Protein backbone atom coordinates (compact mmCIF):
# COMPACT_ATOMS: atom_id res chain seq x y z
CA UNK A 1 0.00 0.00 0.00
CA UNK A 2 1.51 3.34 -1.03
CA UNK A 3 1.11 6.06 1.56
CA UNK A 4 0.24 9.50 0.23
CA UNK A 5 1.78 12.17 2.51
CA UNK A 6 -0.72 14.41 4.24
CA UNK A 7 1.28 17.56 3.53
CA UNK A 8 3.66 18.29 0.69
CA UNK A 9 6.80 20.33 1.31
CA UNK A 10 5.62 23.92 1.72
CA UNK A 11 6.77 26.72 -0.55
CA UNK A 12 8.72 28.63 2.11
CA UNK A 13 11.23 25.81 2.59
CA UNK A 14 12.63 26.31 -0.91
CA UNK A 15 15.98 27.95 -1.51
CA UNK A 16 15.26 30.75 -3.96
CA UNK A 17 18.14 31.86 -6.14
CA UNK A 18 17.51 35.62 -6.44
CA UNK A 19 21.08 36.32 -7.55
CA UNK A 20 20.25 34.81 -10.95
CA UNK A 21 17.93 37.76 -11.52
CA UNK A 22 20.94 40.08 -11.61
CA UNK A 23 22.45 38.46 -14.71
CA UNK A 24 19.71 39.85 -16.94
CA UNK A 25 19.46 43.47 -17.92
CA UNK A 26 15.75 44.21 -18.37
CA UNK A 27 15.27 47.66 -19.86
CA UNK A 28 12.41 49.91 -18.77
CA UNK A 29 11.06 50.01 -22.32
CA UNK A 30 11.56 48.25 -25.64
CA UNK A 31 10.97 49.35 -29.22
CA UNK A 32 10.43 47.20 -32.29
CA UNK A 33 13.33 45.48 -34.06
CA UNK A 34 13.07 46.54 -37.69
CA UNK A 35 15.81 46.60 -40.33
CA UNK A 36 18.50 45.73 -37.81
CA UNK A 37 17.64 48.54 -35.36
CA UNK A 38 15.41 49.03 -32.35
CA UNK A 39 12.91 51.73 -33.33
CA UNK A 40 9.92 53.39 -31.70
CA UNK A 41 6.58 52.05 -32.87
CA UNK A 42 3.76 54.22 -34.19
CA UNK A 43 1.21 52.53 -31.98
CA UNK A 44 0.69 52.32 -28.24
CA UNK A 45 2.69 50.23 -25.82
CA UNK A 46 1.84 47.49 -23.34
CA UNK A 47 3.31 46.14 -20.13
CA UNK A 48 4.84 42.73 -19.78
CA UNK A 49 4.67 41.35 -16.25
CA UNK A 50 6.29 38.54 -14.34
CA UNK A 51 3.59 35.91 -13.74
CA UNK A 52 5.32 34.74 -10.56
CA UNK A 53 5.30 38.17 -8.87
CA UNK A 54 2.93 40.32 -10.98
CA UNK A 55 5.76 42.87 -11.12
CA UNK A 56 5.84 45.03 -14.26
CA UNK A 57 9.00 44.05 -16.10
CA UNK A 58 8.98 46.48 -19.03
CA UNK A 59 6.89 48.62 -21.35
CA UNK A 60 6.90 47.15 -24.85
CA UNK A 61 5.93 48.77 -28.16
CA UNK A 62 2.71 47.56 -29.77
CA UNK A 63 3.25 47.43 -33.54
CA UNK A 64 0.41 48.77 -35.65
CA UNK A 65 -0.22 48.17 -39.36
CA UNK A 66 2.27 50.85 -40.42
CA UNK A 67 5.01 49.26 -38.27
CA UNK A 68 4.24 45.83 -39.70
CA UNK A 69 4.44 47.37 -43.17
CA UNK A 70 7.89 48.81 -42.39
CA UNK A 71 9.03 45.43 -41.08
CA UNK A 72 7.76 43.59 -44.18
CA UNK A 73 9.43 46.16 -46.46
CA UNK A 74 12.73 45.73 -44.58
CA UNK A 75 12.41 41.95 -44.88
CA UNK A 76 11.67 42.26 -48.61
CA UNK A 77 14.72 44.50 -49.17
CA UNK A 78 16.95 42.11 -47.26
CA UNK A 79 15.55 39.18 -49.23
CA UNK A 80 16.18 40.78 -52.62
CA UNK A 81 19.49 42.53 -51.86
CA UNK A 82 21.40 40.35 -49.37
CA UNK A 83 19.98 37.21 -47.82
CA UNK A 84 18.16 35.80 -50.84
CA UNK A 85 21.31 36.18 -53.00
CA UNK A 86 23.82 34.91 -50.48
CA UNK A 87 25.34 31.46 -51.03
CA UNK A 88 23.97 28.90 -48.57
CA UNK A 89 27.44 28.35 -47.11
CA UNK A 90 27.51 32.04 -46.10
CA UNK A 91 24.03 31.91 -44.57
CA UNK A 92 25.19 28.88 -42.61
CA UNK A 93 27.99 30.90 -41.03
CA UNK A 94 25.49 33.39 -39.61
CA UNK A 95 23.27 30.62 -38.29
CA UNK A 96 26.22 28.87 -36.62
CA UNK A 97 27.24 32.21 -35.11
CA UNK A 98 23.73 32.75 -33.72
CA UNK A 99 23.70 29.19 -32.31
CA UNK A 100 27.02 29.76 -30.55
CA UNK A 101 25.92 33.10 -29.08
CA UNK A 102 22.75 31.42 -27.80
CA UNK A 103 24.95 28.91 -26.02
CA UNK A 104 27.25 31.62 -24.67
CA UNK A 105 24.32 33.68 -23.41
CA UNK A 106 22.32 30.60 -22.42
CA UNK A 107 22.06 31.44 -18.74
CA UNK A 108 20.83 34.95 -19.48
CA UNK A 109 18.25 33.63 -21.95
CA UNK A 110 17.07 30.97 -19.50
CA UNK A 111 16.68 33.41 -16.61
CA UNK A 112 14.83 35.94 -18.75
CA UNK A 113 12.53 33.22 -20.11
CA UNK A 114 11.71 32.03 -16.60
CA UNK A 115 11.03 35.58 -15.39
CA UNK A 116 8.77 36.58 -18.30
CA UNK A 117 7.05 33.23 -18.83
CA UNK A 118 7.00 31.71 -15.32
CA UNK A 119 8.56 28.36 -16.26
CA UNK A 120 11.02 26.67 -13.87
CA UNK A 121 14.66 27.59 -14.45
CA UNK A 122 15.67 23.92 -14.60
CA UNK A 123 13.43 23.56 -17.68
CA UNK A 124 14.42 26.79 -19.43
CA UNK A 125 18.10 26.09 -18.69
CA UNK A 126 18.16 22.35 -19.45
CA UNK A 127 15.46 22.01 -22.12
CA UNK A 128 14.38 25.24 -23.84
CA UNK A 129 17.74 26.95 -24.38
CA UNK A 130 19.77 23.86 -25.39
CA UNK A 131 17.04 22.78 -27.83
CA UNK A 132 16.89 26.33 -29.23
CA UNK A 133 20.66 26.28 -29.89
CA UNK A 134 20.34 22.77 -31.35
CA UNK A 135 17.75 24.04 -33.86
CA UNK A 136 20.08 26.76 -35.12
CA UNK A 137 22.99 24.30 -35.36
CA UNK A 138 20.83 21.74 -37.15
CA UNK A 139 19.38 24.12 -39.74
CA UNK A 140 22.76 25.83 -40.24
CA UNK A 141 23.87 22.43 -41.54
CA UNK A 142 21.08 22.45 -44.14
CA UNK A 143 21.72 25.95 -45.52
CA UNK A 144 24.23 24.82 -48.17
CA UNK A 145 22.50 21.50 -48.89
CA UNK A 146 19.10 22.63 -50.16
CA UNK A 147 19.50 20.58 -53.32
CA UNK A 148 19.22 17.49 -51.07
CA UNK A 149 15.82 18.59 -49.73
CA UNK A 150 14.05 16.44 -52.32
CA UNK A 151 12.59 19.45 -54.12
CA UNK A 152 14.80 19.55 -57.20
CA UNK A 153 18.39 20.62 -57.87
CA UNK A 154 18.09 24.27 -56.82
CA UNK A 155 14.97 24.94 -54.74
CA UNK A 156 14.17 28.61 -54.17
CA UNK A 157 13.19 30.27 -50.93
CA UNK A 158 9.63 31.58 -50.64
CA UNK A 159 10.60 35.18 -49.81
CA UNK A 160 9.22 36.94 -46.73
CA UNK A 161 7.86 34.75 -43.94
CA UNK A 162 5.36 36.18 -41.43
CA UNK A 163 5.56 34.20 -38.20
CA UNK A 164 3.28 34.37 -35.16
CA UNK A 165 4.08 32.39 -32.01
CA UNK A 166 2.50 31.62 -28.60
CA UNK A 167 3.69 32.21 -25.04
CA UNK A 168 4.31 28.67 -23.79
CA UNK A 169 7.79 28.22 -25.31
CA UNK A 170 8.63 31.76 -26.44
CA UNK A 171 12.23 31.15 -27.45
CA UNK A 172 11.79 27.58 -28.66
CA UNK A 173 8.85 28.49 -30.91
CA UNK A 174 10.95 31.36 -32.28
CA UNK A 175 13.76 28.91 -33.08
CA UNK A 176 11.36 26.44 -34.74
CA UNK A 177 10.23 29.29 -37.00
CA UNK A 178 13.34 31.39 -37.65
CA UNK A 179 16.06 28.74 -38.01
CA UNK A 180 14.55 26.80 -40.97
CA UNK A 181 13.24 29.98 -42.63
CA UNK A 182 16.68 31.59 -42.64
CA UNK A 183 18.49 28.39 -43.65
CA UNK A 184 16.23 28.13 -46.70
CA UNK A 185 17.02 31.75 -47.66
CA UNK A 186 13.86 33.54 -46.48
CA UNK A 187 13.70 36.67 -44.37
CA UNK A 188 11.24 36.96 -41.50
CA UNK A 189 8.87 39.19 -39.57
CA UNK A 190 8.02 37.51 -36.27
CA UNK A 191 5.52 38.43 -33.60
CA UNK A 192 6.03 36.94 -30.13
CA UNK A 193 3.05 36.54 -27.80
CA UNK A 194 1.93 39.59 -25.89
CA UNK A 195 2.69 38.06 -22.48
CA UNK A 196 6.22 36.87 -23.36
CA UNK A 197 8.03 39.33 -25.64
CA UNK A 198 11.33 39.67 -23.79
CA UNK A 199 13.40 36.73 -25.01
CA UNK A 200 12.45 37.48 -28.64
CA UNK A 201 13.80 41.00 -28.08
CA UNK A 202 16.98 39.57 -26.55
CA UNK A 203 17.22 37.34 -29.60
CA UNK A 204 17.06 40.53 -31.71
CA UNK A 205 20.14 41.76 -29.82
CA UNK A 206 21.81 38.44 -30.60
CA UNK A 207 21.10 39.00 -34.31
CA UNK A 208 22.88 42.36 -34.01
CA UNK A 209 25.77 40.73 -32.15
CA UNK A 210 26.04 38.13 -34.94
CA UNK A 211 26.15 40.96 -37.55
CA UNK A 212 23.16 39.48 -39.31
CA UNK A 213 22.40 41.76 -42.27
CA UNK A 214 19.67 44.32 -41.45
CA UNK A 215 16.12 43.25 -42.26
CA UNK A 216 16.77 39.49 -42.29
CA UNK A 217 15.04 39.15 -38.90
CA UNK A 218 12.43 41.66 -37.76
CA UNK A 219 10.66 41.33 -34.41
CA UNK A 220 7.36 43.19 -34.04
CA UNK A 221 5.79 42.98 -30.60
CA UNK A 222 2.08 43.46 -30.05
CA UNK A 223 -1.24 41.73 -29.51
CA UNK A 224 -3.59 39.80 -31.79
CA UNK A 225 -4.08 42.80 -34.10
CA UNK A 226 -0.34 42.87 -34.85
CA UNK A 227 -0.52 39.18 -35.77
CA UNK A 228 -3.53 39.89 -37.97
CA UNK A 229 -1.63 42.68 -39.76
CA UNK A 230 1.26 40.29 -40.52
CA UNK A 231 -1.10 37.61 -41.83
CA UNK A 232 -3.00 40.15 -43.97
CA UNK A 233 0.04 41.93 -45.42
CA UNK A 234 0.01 41.44 -49.21
CA UNK A 235 3.80 41.15 -49.49
CA UNK A 236 4.12 38.23 -47.08
CA UNK A 237 4.77 34.98 -48.97
CA UNK A 238 4.44 32.48 -46.15
CA UNK A 239 2.52 32.48 -42.90
CA UNK A 240 3.73 30.21 -40.11
CA UNK A 241 1.52 30.17 -37.04
CA UNK A 242 1.63 28.33 -33.74
CA UNK A 243 -1.21 28.89 -31.33
CA UNK A 244 -4.79 28.02 -30.61
CA UNK A 245 -7.03 26.16 -33.03
CA UNK A 246 -9.55 29.03 -33.07
CA UNK A 247 -6.98 31.60 -34.20
CA UNK A 248 -5.48 29.03 -36.59
CA UNK A 249 -8.87 28.65 -38.28
CA UNK A 250 -9.18 32.44 -38.62
CA UNK A 251 -5.71 32.56 -40.19
CA UNK A 252 -6.56 29.76 -42.63
CA UNK A 253 -9.62 31.77 -43.70
CA UNK A 254 -7.56 34.98 -44.01
CA UNK A 255 -4.96 33.44 -46.35
CA UNK A 256 -7.42 31.35 -48.40
CA UNK A 257 -7.25 32.37 -52.05
CA UNK A 258 -4.01 34.38 -51.65
CA UNK A 259 -0.50 33.50 -52.85
CA UNK A 260 0.52 32.76 -49.27
CA UNK A 261 1.66 29.35 -48.14
CA UNK A 262 0.71 28.46 -44.60
CA UNK A 263 1.65 26.08 -41.83
CA UNK A 264 -0.45 25.82 -38.68
CA UNK A 265 0.69 24.22 -35.42
CA UNK A 266 -2.38 24.22 -33.17
CA UNK A 267 -3.81 22.68 -30.03
CA UNK A 268 -3.84 19.14 -28.68
CA UNK A 269 -5.45 16.75 -26.19
CA UNK A 270 -2.94 13.90 -26.15
CA UNK A 271 -3.60 10.49 -24.68
CA UNK A 272 -0.83 9.00 -22.56
CA UNK A 273 -1.70 5.28 -22.64
CA UNK A 274 -0.45 2.91 -19.95
CA UNK A 275 -0.83 -0.85 -20.50
CA UNK A 276 -0.70 -3.44 -17.74
CA UNK A 277 2.70 -4.73 -18.87
CA UNK A 278 4.34 -1.28 -18.64
CA UNK A 279 7.10 -0.64 -16.10
CA UNK A 280 4.86 1.23 -13.68
CA UNK A 281 7.45 3.46 -11.98
CA UNK A 282 8.82 4.57 -15.33
CA UNK A 283 5.32 5.18 -16.65
CA UNK A 284 4.46 7.30 -13.60
CA UNK A 285 7.51 9.48 -14.31
CA UNK A 286 6.33 9.76 -17.91
CA UNK A 287 2.81 10.72 -16.84
CA UNK A 288 4.21 13.42 -14.53
CA UNK A 289 6.53 14.74 -17.23
CA UNK A 290 3.74 14.49 -19.79
CA UNK A 291 1.33 16.79 -17.95
CA UNK A 292 3.30 18.83 -15.41
CA UNK A 293 6.27 19.83 -17.60
CA UNK A 294 5.99 23.58 -18.28
CA UNK A 295 2.86 23.78 -16.01
CA UNK A 296 1.02 21.75 -18.65
CA UNK A 297 1.28 24.72 -21.04
CA UNK A 298 2.30 22.30 -23.77
CA UNK A 299 0.41 21.70 -27.01
CA UNK A 300 1.43 18.02 -26.95
CA UNK A 301 0.89 17.58 -23.17
CA UNK A 302 -0.28 14.13 -22.12
CA UNK A 303 -3.44 15.64 -20.66
CA UNK A 304 -5.55 12.47 -20.91
CA UNK A 305 -4.23 9.51 -18.97
CA UNK A 306 -5.63 6.27 -20.40
CA UNK A 307 -4.74 3.48 -18.01
CA UNK A 308 -5.60 -0.20 -18.34
CA UNK A 309 -8.17 -1.15 -15.72
CA UNK A 310 -6.13 -3.96 -14.16
CA UNK A 311 -3.30 -1.59 -13.16
CA UNK A 312 -5.30 1.60 -12.65
CA UNK A 313 -5.28 1.48 -8.83
CA UNK A 314 -1.55 0.88 -8.63
CA UNK A 315 -0.72 3.56 -11.20
CA UNK A 316 -2.98 6.14 -9.57
CA UNK A 317 -1.62 5.48 -6.09
CA UNK A 318 1.95 5.83 -7.25
CA UNK A 319 1.04 8.86 -9.28
CA UNK A 320 -0.48 10.60 -6.26
CA UNK A 321 2.59 9.83 -4.24
CA UNK A 322 4.85 11.26 -6.94
CA UNK A 323 2.62 14.32 -7.35
CA UNK A 324 3.00 14.97 -3.62
CA UNK A 325 6.72 15.51 -4.13
CA UNK A 326 6.32 18.16 -6.82
CA UNK A 327 7.42 21.61 -5.77
CA UNK A 328 5.36 24.53 -6.93
CA UNK A 329 6.87 27.98 -6.64
CA UNK A 330 9.56 30.48 -7.59
CA UNK A 331 10.58 29.78 -11.21
CA UNK A 332 14.14 30.90 -10.43
CA UNK A 333 14.52 28.30 -7.68
CA UNK A 334 16.48 25.39 -9.12
CA UNK A 335 14.33 22.94 -7.13
CA UNK A 336 11.04 24.12 -8.55
CA UNK A 337 9.11 21.57 -10.63
CA UNK A 338 6.02 23.63 -11.42
CA UNK A 339 6.34 27.36 -11.97
CA UNK A 340 3.77 30.10 -12.43
CA UNK A 341 0.77 29.99 -14.75
CA UNK A 342 1.58 32.38 -17.57
CA UNK A 343 -1.24 34.89 -17.11
CA UNK A 344 -4.32 35.75 -15.09
CA UNK A 345 -6.47 34.85 -18.15
CA UNK A 346 -4.90 31.41 -18.46
CA UNK A 347 -5.32 30.82 -14.72
CA UNK A 348 -9.00 31.75 -14.97
CA UNK A 349 -9.44 29.28 -17.86
CA UNK A 350 -7.75 26.46 -15.91
CA UNK A 351 -9.88 27.19 -12.84
CA UNK A 352 -13.07 27.30 -14.86
CA UNK A 353 -12.46 24.00 -16.64
CA UNK A 354 -11.42 22.33 -13.38
CA UNK A 355 -14.65 23.48 -11.75
CA UNK A 356 -16.61 22.18 -14.73
CA UNK A 357 -14.73 18.87 -14.35
CA UNK A 358 -16.00 18.59 -10.79
CA UNK A 359 -19.55 19.65 -11.62
CA UNK A 360 -19.69 17.05 -14.39
CA UNK A 361 -18.83 14.32 -11.90
CA UNK A 362 -15.05 13.97 -12.07
CA UNK A 363 -13.23 13.36 -8.80
CA UNK A 364 -10.61 16.06 -8.25
CA UNK A 365 -7.41 15.58 -6.25
CA UNK A 366 -4.35 17.73 -5.61
CA UNK A 367 -1.59 17.18 -3.08
CA UNK A 368 -1.69 19.69 -0.24
CA UNK A 369 0.61 22.49 -1.33
CA UNK A 370 1.04 26.05 -0.25
CA UNK A 371 0.93 28.45 -3.17
CA UNK A 372 2.71 31.83 -3.11
CA UNK A 373 0.40 34.77 -2.39
CA UNK A 374 1.45 36.94 -5.35
CA UNK A 375 1.42 35.75 -8.93
CA UNK A 376 -0.61 33.12 -10.79
CA UNK A 377 -0.48 29.56 -9.46
CA UNK A 378 -2.32 26.31 -9.82
CA UNK A 379 -1.52 23.07 -7.98
CA UNK A 380 -0.85 19.81 -9.83
CA UNK A 381 -4.32 18.34 -10.25
CA UNK A 382 -5.61 14.87 -11.01
CA UNK A 383 -9.13 13.96 -12.10
CA UNK A 384 -10.37 10.39 -11.89
CA UNK A 385 -13.77 9.02 -12.84
CA UNK A 386 -13.69 11.02 -16.07
CA UNK A 387 -15.75 9.89 -19.04
CA UNK A 388 -15.29 10.73 -22.68
CA UNK A 389 -18.26 13.08 -22.59
CA UNK A 390 -16.73 15.30 -19.90
CA UNK A 391 -15.40 18.62 -21.12
CA UNK A 392 -12.09 18.06 -19.31
CA UNK A 393 -11.63 14.97 -21.49
CA UNK A 394 -12.36 16.88 -24.68
CA UNK A 395 -11.07 20.44 -24.33
CA UNK A 396 -7.51 21.63 -24.09
CA UNK A 397 -6.98 22.94 -20.53
CA UNK A 398 -3.36 23.99 -21.12
CA UNK A 399 -2.52 23.74 -17.44
CA UNK A 400 -1.32 21.21 -14.82
CA UNK A 401 -4.56 19.21 -14.88
CA UNK A 402 -4.70 15.53 -15.79
CA UNK A 403 -7.93 13.72 -16.71
CA UNK A 404 -7.90 9.95 -16.17
CA UNK A 405 -9.94 7.40 -18.12
CA UNK A 406 -9.59 3.64 -18.07
CA UNK A 407 -9.74 0.96 -20.77
CA UNK A 408 -9.77 -2.83 -20.95
CA UNK A 409 -8.43 -3.75 -24.41
CA UNK A 410 -5.92 -2.17 -26.82
CA UNK A 411 -8.79 -1.59 -29.28
CA UNK A 412 -10.71 0.36 -26.67
CA UNK A 413 -7.56 2.37 -25.86
CA UNK A 414 -7.20 3.32 -29.53
CA UNK A 415 -10.87 4.30 -29.84
CA UNK A 416 -10.70 6.51 -26.76
CA UNK A 417 -7.34 8.03 -27.70
CA UNK A 418 -8.60 8.94 -31.18
CA UNK A 419 -11.92 10.26 -29.90
CA UNK A 420 -10.85 13.92 -30.03
CA UNK A 421 -10.88 16.66 -32.63
CA UNK A 422 -7.12 16.99 -32.09
CA UNK A 423 -4.28 14.77 -33.28
CA UNK A 424 -0.94 16.17 -32.22
CA UNK A 425 0.72 13.56 -30.03
CA UNK A 426 0.27 10.42 -27.95
CA UNK A 427 2.29 8.24 -25.58
CA UNK A 428 2.31 4.47 -25.24
CA UNK A 429 3.71 2.61 -22.24
CA UNK A 430 4.15 -1.13 -22.74
CA UNK A 431 6.79 -3.81 -22.66
CA UNK A 432 5.78 -5.22 -26.06
CA UNK A 433 7.53 -3.86 -29.15
CA UNK A 434 4.83 -5.28 -31.42
CA UNK A 435 2.15 -3.42 -29.47
CA UNK A 436 4.08 -0.15 -29.77
CA UNK A 437 4.21 -0.53 -33.56
CA UNK A 438 0.54 -1.51 -33.77
CA UNK A 439 -0.53 1.41 -31.60
CA UNK A 440 1.64 3.87 -33.53
CA UNK A 441 -0.18 2.82 -36.70
CA UNK A 442 -3.62 3.08 -35.14
CA UNK A 443 -3.23 6.40 -33.35
CA UNK A 444 -4.22 9.50 -35.31
CA UNK A 445 -1.44 11.64 -33.87
CA UNK A 446 1.49 13.37 -35.54
CA UNK A 447 3.95 12.21 -32.87
CA UNK A 448 3.75 8.96 -30.90
CA UNK A 449 6.22 8.54 -28.05
CA UNK A 450 6.93 5.02 -26.81
CA UNK A 451 7.94 4.57 -23.15
CA UNK A 452 8.86 8.23 -22.98
CA UNK A 453 7.09 11.57 -23.43
CA UNK A 454 7.77 15.18 -24.40
CA UNK A 455 11.06 14.51 -26.16
CA UNK A 456 12.02 17.15 -28.72
CA UNK A 457 14.78 17.01 -31.28
CA UNK A 458 15.48 19.30 -34.23
CA UNK A 459 15.83 16.35 -36.59
CA UNK A 460 12.30 15.06 -35.88
CA UNK A 461 9.32 16.50 -37.72
CA UNK A 462 6.57 17.69 -35.36
CA UNK A 463 2.99 18.54 -36.28
CA UNK A 464 -0.59 17.47 -36.13
CA UNK A 465 -3.49 15.61 -37.70
CA UNK A 466 -7.06 16.91 -37.72
CA UNK A 467 -7.61 20.17 -35.81
CA UNK A 468 -4.05 20.18 -34.52
CA UNK A 469 -3.05 21.84 -37.78
CA UNK A 470 -1.10 20.99 -40.88
CA UNK A 471 2.47 21.11 -42.06
CA UNK A 472 5.46 19.96 -40.05
CA UNK A 473 8.19 21.78 -38.18
CA UNK A 474 11.59 20.22 -37.49
CA UNK A 475 13.69 17.94 -39.64
CA UNK A 476 13.66 18.02 -43.43
CA UNK A 477 9.87 18.66 -43.70
CA UNK A 478 10.42 21.75 -41.54
CA UNK A 479 12.99 23.04 -44.02
CA UNK A 480 10.90 22.14 -47.09
CA UNK A 481 8.02 24.19 -45.67
CA UNK A 482 10.11 27.29 -46.47
CA UNK A 483 11.02 26.27 -50.05
CA UNK A 484 9.20 26.49 -53.37
CA UNK A 485 8.09 23.12 -54.64
CA UNK A 486 6.91 21.76 -51.30
CA UNK A 487 3.32 20.57 -51.32
P1 LIG B 1 -3.30 32.14 -29.41
O1 LIG B 1 -4.19 32.92 -28.56
O2 LIG B 1 -3.84 31.52 -30.63
O3 LIG B 1 -2.09 33.11 -29.77
C1 LIG B 1 -0.98 32.69 -30.53
C2 LIG B 1 -0.36 33.91 -31.17
O4 LIG B 1 -1.27 34.46 -32.12
C3 LIG B 1 -0.05 35.03 -30.19
O5 LIG B 1 1.11 35.70 -30.61
C4 LIG B 1 -1.29 35.91 -30.33
O6 LIG B 1 -1.11 37.24 -29.92
C5 LIG B 1 -1.52 35.83 -31.82
N1 LIG B 1 -2.88 36.13 -32.25
C6 LIG B 1 -4.01 36.21 -31.51
N2 LIG B 1 -5.08 36.46 -32.32
C7 LIG B 1 -4.60 36.55 -33.58
C8 LIG B 1 -5.19 36.79 -34.85
N3 LIG B 1 -6.50 36.96 -34.99
N4 LIG B 1 -4.41 36.80 -35.96
C9 LIG B 1 -3.08 36.58 -35.85
N5 LIG B 1 -2.46 36.35 -34.67
C10 LIG B 1 -3.20 36.33 -33.55
O7 LIG B 1 -2.61 30.96 -28.60
P2 LIG B 1 -1.87 31.06 -27.21
O8 LIG B 1 -2.89 31.17 -26.16
O9 LIG B 1 -0.79 32.08 -27.27
O10 LIG B 1 -1.13 29.65 -27.15
C11 LIG B 1 -1.76 28.52 -26.70
C12 LIG B 1 -2.20 27.65 -27.86
O11 LIG B 1 -1.10 27.37 -28.73
C13 LIG B 1 -2.67 26.31 -27.39
O12 LIG B 1 -3.85 25.95 -28.05
C14 LIG B 1 -1.55 25.36 -27.78
O13 LIG B 1 -1.93 24.04 -27.96
C15 LIG B 1 -1.04 26.00 -29.01
N6 LIG B 1 0.35 25.58 -29.28
C16 LIG B 1 0.56 24.69 -30.29
C17 LIG B 1 1.86 24.25 -30.54
C18 LIG B 1 2.08 23.28 -31.64
S1 LIG B 1 3.59 23.03 -32.11
N7 LIG B 1 1.09 22.64 -32.20
C19 LIG B 1 2.92 24.71 -29.78
C20 LIG B 1 2.66 25.62 -28.77
C21 LIG B 1 1.35 26.05 -28.53
P3 LIG B 1 -1.37 37.57 -28.37
O14 LIG B 1 -0.25 36.99 -27.65
O15 LIG B 1 -1.37 39.01 -28.24
O16 LIG B 1 -2.70 37.00 -28.02
Amino acid sequence: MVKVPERATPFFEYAPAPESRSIVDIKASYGLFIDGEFVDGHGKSFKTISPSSEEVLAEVAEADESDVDLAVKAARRAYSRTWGRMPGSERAKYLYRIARIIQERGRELAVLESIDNGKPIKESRDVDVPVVAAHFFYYAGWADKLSYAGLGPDPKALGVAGQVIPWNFPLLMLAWKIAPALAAGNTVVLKPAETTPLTALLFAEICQQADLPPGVVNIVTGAGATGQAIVAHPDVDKVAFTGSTDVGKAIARAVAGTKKKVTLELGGKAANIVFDDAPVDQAVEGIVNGIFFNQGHVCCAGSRLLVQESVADEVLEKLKRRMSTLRVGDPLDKNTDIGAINSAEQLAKIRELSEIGESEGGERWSPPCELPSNGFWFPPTLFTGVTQAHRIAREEIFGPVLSTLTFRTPKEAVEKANNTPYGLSAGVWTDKGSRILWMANQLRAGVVWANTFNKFDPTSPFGGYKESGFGREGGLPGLAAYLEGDR
Side-chain angles (χ1 to χ4, degrees), residues 59-101:
E59 194 78 28
V60 181
E62 185 172 341
D64 68 9
E65 273 181 39
S66 65
D67 297 313
V68 168
D69 186 50
L70 287 176
V72 173
K73 286 198 167 98
R76 176 62 61 193
R77 273 195 307 278
Y79 177 68
S80 30
R81 293 183 192 166
T82 56
W83 200 250
R85 293 165 168 247
M86 195 181 280
S89 55
E90 289 299 306
R91 289 200 306 275
K93 286 182 193 167
Y94 285 103
L95 289 169
Y96 280 124
R97 203 178 290 165
I98 289 171
R100 280 195 298 269
I101 299 173

Side-chain angles (χ1 to χ4, degrees), residues 156-482:
K156 297 277 174 283
L158 299 175
V160 175
Q163 307 179 321
V164 180
I165 59 172
W167 45 262
N168 58 341
F169 291 95
L171 205 50
L172 186 57
M173 292 299 103
L174 173 148
W176 282 23
K177 298 270 178 292
I178 293 184
L182 263 47
N186 304 270
T187 55
V188 306
V189 176
L190 177 136
K191 186 192 99 64
E194 195 181 352
T195 58
T196 53
L198 295 186
T199 45
L201 293 164
L202 182 51
F203 178 80
E205 274 180 46
I206 289 173
C207 292
Q208 287 181 322
Q209 193 182 342
D211 282 331
L212 193 70
V216 174
V217 167
N218 303 275
I219 307 287
V220 288
T221 43
T226 308
Q228 261 175 317
I230 294 174
V231 171
H233 197 290
D235 203 27
V236 164
D237 300 292
K238 154 95 188 191
V239 173
F241 171 78
T242 297
S244 61
T245 294
D246 283 348
V247 175
K249 286 179 182 175
I251 288 177
R253 284 193 291 272
V255 300
T258 70
K259 66 171 182 179
K260 292 168 198 169
K261 298 207 172 196
V262 62
T263 40
L264 301 174
E265 299 281 3
L266 309 176
K269 190 74 191 175
N272 206 355
I273 306 164
V274 180
F275 285 97
D276 59 6
D277 62 342
V280 171
D281 292 341
Q282 197 184 324
V284 166
E285 284 308 307
I287 296 164
V288 166
N289 172 40
I291 187 62
F292 301 122
F293 170 61
N294 204 36
Q295 295 75 248
H297 301 329
V298 183
C299 49
C300 50
S303 54
R304 283 183 301 152
L305 170 62
L306 297 192
V307 58
Q308 199 155 15
E309 238 174 57
S310 48
V311 287
D313 288 348
E314 183 190 357
V315 168
L316 289 171
E317 254 182 25
K318 288 192 166 173
L319 178 60
K320 286 182 175 179
R321 183 173 161 176
R322 180 67 177 90
M323 283 171 66
S324 302
T325 69
L326 294 173
R327 295 175 168 222
V328 184
D330 181 1
L332 292 184
D333 182 338
K334 287 176 276 187
N335 296 315
T336 292
D337 299 299
I338 300 183
I341 299 303
N342 181 253
S343 65
E345 293 72 31
Q346 189 58 28
L347 180 59
K349 184 183 159 193
I350 297 167
R351 282 188 176 146
E352 187 193 350
L353 274 164
S354 300
E355 279 155 24
I356 290 170
E358 271 184 292
S359 67
E360 288 188 335
E363 194 177 316
R364 176 176 176 170
W365 183 87
S366 289
C369 74
E370 218 161 291
L371 301 176
S373 47
N374 290 332
F376 315 127
W377 308 95
F378 200 83
T381 300
L382 173 71
F383 274 94
T384 49
V386 179
T387 74
Q388 295 189 83
H390 289 169
R391 281 181 62 187
I392 55 168
R394 309 195 65 76
E395 294 178 29
E396 189 180 40
I397 302 174
F398 223 56
V401 181
L402 179 64
S403 305
T404 308
L405 298 96
T406 56
F407 65 90
R408 288 189 182 163
T409 64
K411 189 162 170 279
E412 189 188 347
V414 167
E415 277 167 12
K416 286 187 169 167
N418 286 341
N419 184 11
T420 163
Y422 297 110
L424 192 55
S425 66
V428 179
W429 298 83
T430 174
D431 205 26
K432 292 189 184 65
S434 57
R435 181 176 282 164
I436 290 170
L437 295 175
W438 184 81
M439 290 292 290
N441 270 326
Q442 302 294 313
L443 292 168
R444 299 276 297 151
V447 177
V448 179
W449 284 292
N451 294 328
T452 187
F453 209 92
N454 274 342
K455 287 279 178 291
F456 306 101
D457 187 284
T459 65
S460 300
F462 185 94
Y465 284 63
K466 301 193 278 184
E467 292 198 7
S468 289
F470 48 81
R472 294 289 179 268
E473 291 188 315
L476 180 53
L479 180 80
Y482 286 96

